[in-house]
Amino acid sequence: MLTDEEIQQICASYKAKWLAQDEEMRRAGLSGSDGELYSDIINAHHQVVTMAAARGDVSQIGGELRRHLRELGLDIDEGTESYSRLAYAVLVAEAEVSHARMEREAGRAVATPKVTH
């Protein structure tokens, strides 16, 4: 069974990974149609993930969660209480990442946490 601390660590590494990827995209330069497309993707994703979070619909992040767990070398059975708790926590983390991306889109600085594994 995963502890609350372990779940927090997994969520922190998930958020750090996705915010680092977003920062990398922005540092590479997003202009013209590339910038518009990225903005459209971020906006559409924000709508989906915030609705999923409001409903507790963890199916929206299942694939990314499984991928992240593989990257961390973790194998957690999807039918367990631990996985259920983790999936919901990662869904909330994904909503936080989405919010941070929207803040960046609006021109506000959002720090990228250090990627941890």
Side-chain angles (χ1 to χ4, degrees):
M1 178 150 210
L2 291 172
T3 66
D4 289 343
E5 182 178 308
E6 290 168 325
I7 289 173
Q8 289 174 359
Q9 289 172 345
I10 293 168
C11 288
S13 70
Y14 183 89
K15 287 168 53 173
K17 176 180 87 170
W18 288 108
L19 286 174
Q21 182 186 61
D22 179 70
E23 182 178 301
E24 185 177 315
M25 291 285 295
R26 292 172 192 282
R27 283 192 332 216
L30 294 169
S31 60
S33 62
D34 287 343
E36 290 175 24
L37 177 60
Y38 191 66
S39 183
D40 289 347
I41 290 168
I42 287 172
N43 285 312
H45 178 75
H46 184 70
Q47 291 175 357
V48 170
V49 77
T50 54
M51 185 60 67
R55 294 181 177 162
D57 180 5
V58 298
S59 69
Q60 296 297 320
I61 52 90
E64 287 302 328
L65 174 55
R66 287 187 294 277
R67 218 174 341 272
H68 189 63
L69 290 173
R70 275 194 308 272
E71 291 170 2
L72 296 174
L74 298 173
D75 183 24
I76 301 169
D77 184 357
E78 292 182 33
T80 64
E81 175 67 18
S82 284
Y83 186 88
S84 177
R85 289 175 45 238
L86 176 62
Y88 184 75
V90 170
L91 176 61
V92 170
E94 180 65 31
E96 292 169 357
V97 167
S98 181
H99 179 73
R101 287 178 178 151
M102 294 297 289
E103 289 290 301
R104 287 175 174 176
E105 275 299 294
R108 291 183 273 285
V110 175
T112 299
K114 181 179 177 184
V115 177
T116 58
H117 291 280

